[in-house]
């Protein structure tokens, strides 16, 4: 996810033993050797699970989908979902992630233990229209995007690198914290559009001829422009194409 000052990885985490899992600390590395523990920690499980039926794509522009039903199981995390208002739907307050698509729902109807039908959907939020159009298969991963989501920041210069993430669990009493050696890392290759370069302005080309000692004339072109002020890089590449007769 791209932010004004950089990027973030969002992760949904739940314990393998729901009866004893209390939460986790997050440790990050770029070489799988030296890990840094982040300031944040997560209490409890993210509301995550899978789709129990396929979700069809929505034709047209992102927005309200009153036709399709999102059927989900949160058995994996023992999660619960509640309904909201129309205002909540329009404000994307009940935000969810489904296989690349970000969407919200208005009504959550229980169909069993930790099973729900989500209806009146606000589809394709935050530029995820392509994923909305494609639809989603049964057993696709689902997560409710709330305060239980881990958010790991990184900067544009890290794009293309591999991030190693370890989630060190503690129990429901806040003790028995796992060590780094106890946990295998999750890996993720960082991606993003990178920095957006503002085009330079006021390009100018001037030409002149300089007489060489042997009497020949040497043509010279001078190229100038007003550089963009943001972002600032260590170096730039300038490409000049000259076309025409002569």
């Amino acid at each position: 996810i791209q932010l004004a000052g950089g990027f973030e990885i969002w992760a949904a985490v739940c314990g393998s033993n729901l009866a004893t899992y209390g939460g986790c600390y997050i440790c990050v590395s770029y070489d799988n050797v030296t890990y840094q523990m982040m300031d944040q920690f997560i209490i409890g499980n993210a509301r995550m699970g899978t789709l129990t039926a396929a979700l069809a794509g929505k034709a047209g522009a992102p927005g309200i989908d009153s036709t399709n039903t999102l059927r989900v199981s949160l058995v994996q995390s023992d999660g619960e979902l509640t309904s909201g208002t129309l205002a909540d739907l329009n404000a994307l307050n009940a935000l969810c992630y489904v296989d690349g698509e970000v969407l919200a729902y208005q009504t959550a109807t229980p169909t069993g233990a930790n099973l729900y039908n989500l209806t009146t959907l606000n589809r394709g939020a935050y530029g995820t229209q392509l994923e909305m159009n494609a639809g989603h298969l049964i057993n696709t991963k689902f997560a409710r995007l709330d305060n239980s989501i881990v958010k790991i920041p990184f900067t544009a210069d890290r794009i293309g690198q591999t991030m190693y993430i370890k989630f060190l669990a503690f129990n429901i009493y806040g003790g028995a914290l796992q060590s780094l050696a106890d946990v295998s890392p999750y890996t993720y290759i960082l991606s993003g559009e990178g920095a957006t370069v503002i085009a330079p302005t006021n390009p100018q080309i001037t030409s002149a001829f300089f007489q060489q000692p042997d009497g020949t004339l040497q043509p010279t072109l001078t190229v100038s422009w007003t550089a963009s002020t943001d972002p600032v890089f260590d170096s730039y590449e300038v490409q000049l194409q000259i076309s025409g007769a002569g």
Side-chain angles (χ1 to χ4, degrees):
I1 295 178
Q2 185 171 352
L3 306 173
F7 301 78
E8 286 182 348
I9 292 175
W10 286 20
V13 182
C14 73
S16 58
N17 187 334
L18 298 178
T20 60
Y21 174 77
C24 67
Y25 287 89
I26 303 97
C27 294
V28 174
S29 173
Y30 289 98
D31 58 10
N32 199 24
V33 176
T34 303
Y35 279 83
Q36 180 179 359
M37 181 176 287
M38 298 179 57
D39 293 335
Q40 66 170 304
F41 60 92
I42 300 298
I43 299 293
N45 298 292
R47 291 182 281 178
M48 57 189 290
T50 58
L51 272 62
T52 59
L55 175 65
K58 174 184 176 297
I64 304 303
D65 180 354
S66 300
T67 302
N68 296 300
T69 297
L70 175 58
R71 296 175 170 86
V72 299
S73 166
L74 302 187
V75 172
Q76 175 186 3
S77 58
D78 194 27
E80 297 181 355
L81 298 173
T82 58
S83 299
T85 66
L86 179 60
D88 290 327
L89 178 71
N90 293 329
L92 301 174
N93 288 337
L95 207 60
C96 303
Y97 175 90
V98 183
D99 192 28
E101 181 184 355
V102 178
L103 55 83
Y105 69 89
Q106 181 176 354
T107 304
T109 304
T111 60
N114 306 115
L115 302 175
Y116 295 90
N117 283 354
L118 307 181
T119 52
T120 313
L121 308 175
N122 195 342
R123 304 283 303 271
Y126 300 110
T128 57
Q129 180 173 356
L130 293 179
E131 293 81 1
M132 173 195 77
N133 293 339
H136 311 291
L137 301 176
I138 186 173
N139 295 324
T140 292
K141 293 181 179 179
F142 169 91
R144 174 74 165 83
L145 301 179
D146 55 18
N147 292 334
S148 295
I149 296 297
V150 174
K151 299 176 181 180
I152 305 173
F154 66 96
T155 52
D157 60 299
R158 294 288 191 181
I159 291 174
Q161 297 184 29
T162 298
M163 178 182 284
Y164 301 84
I165 310 167
K166 292 189 176 186
F167 302 102
L168 308 186
F170 50 84
N171 63 25
I172 56 176
Y173 304 107
L177 178 67
Q178 291 178 302
S179 69
L180 285 171
D182 294 331
V183 179
S184 298
Y186 291 86
T187 60
Y188 185 80
I189 298 176
L190 302 177
S191 61
E193 296 180 356
T196 300
V197 179
I198 300 174
T201 58
N202 194 32
Q204 297 184 24
I205 299 177
T206 58
S207 61
F209 288 87
F210 294 92
Q211 188 171 12
Q212 303 299 308
D214 61 359
T216 60
L217 296 177
Q218 174 67 47
T220 301
L221 291 178
T222 300
V223 182
S224 64
W225 65 92
T226 301
S228 58
T229 57
D230 183 44
V232 178
F233 296 111
D234 292 333
S235 62
Y236 294 84
E237 177 181 299
V238 178
Q239 297 184 354
L240 174 66
Q241 178 178 349
I242 302 175
S243 60

